Amino acid sequence: QVQLVESGGGLVRAGGSLRLSCTPSGRIFSINRMAWYRQAPEKKREMVASISSESSTNYADSVKGRFTISRDKAKNTLYLQMNSLKPEDTAIYYCYGRLTLQPDGPDFQYWGEGTQVTVSS
């Protein structure tokens, strides 16, 4: 059973930085699009940043210039570097990925369980 495992969340003061990581457990064949989403209390889940298999990136307007998404293909690991954090960045951050488990097989979407990021003012 493949899962996406996140790490790196925590409590930080406004203006500080955190780096989130996400890696699939279990054997996979390839990783396609990956992304970070977040959900604040009583708000809808929103896309924060995404990266394609060709490393093309997209960001939510609210994080442009502060967050950087990247991936290490050799380690099958996705990162989110978060700088200049603001209290409004407080949320549970979820890793999302479309993974192919077998050669020539279809890709399926997977979600991590989430990691809490809390930014104090």
Side-chain angles (χ1 to χ4, degrees):
Q1 180 77 11
V2 174
Q3 294 179 321
L4 292 176
V5 181
E6 303 117 330
S7 62
L11 172 64
V12 65
R13 290 186 177 180
S17 299
L18 284 174
R19 188 176 81 156
L20 306 183
S21 300
C22 170
T23 189
S25 65
R27 180 171 294 185
I28 63 170
F29 178 71
S30 66
I31 299 176
N32 302 316
R33 178 178 175 268
M34 297 195 78
W36 290 97
Y37 286 74
R38 68 185 181 187
Q39 187 167 18
E42 301 183 358
K43 290 190 176 181
K44 293 183 178 180
R45 188 173 297 189
E46 63 173 355
M47 194 276 288
V48 175
S50 68
I51 185 166
S52 71
S53 56
E54 296 81 23
S55 297
S56 174
T57 58
N58 279 297
Y59 295 92
D61 288 343
S62 59
V63 306
K64 282 181 181 176
R66 300 188 297 121
F67 291 10
T68 302
I69 190 171
S70 62
R71 60 195 294 177
D72 184 330
K73 291 186 176 181
K75 296 180 179 180
N76 281 339
T77 300
L78 177 72
Y79 301 100
L80 184 68
Q81 178 66 44
M82 305 185 292
N83 298 328
S84 302
L85 282 161
K86 304 175 180 179
E88 51 263 44
D89 295 317
T90 295
I92 299 174
Y93 284 70
Y94 297 91
C95 176
Y96 167 91
R98 294 199 68 90
L99 313 179
T100 302
L101 304 187
Q102 302 291 337
D104 298 324
D107 64 356
F108 296 97
Q109 64 177 20
Y110 293 84
W111 289 92
E113 293 187 348
T115 184
Q116 177 70 47
V117 172
T118 303
V119 184
S120 64
S121 57

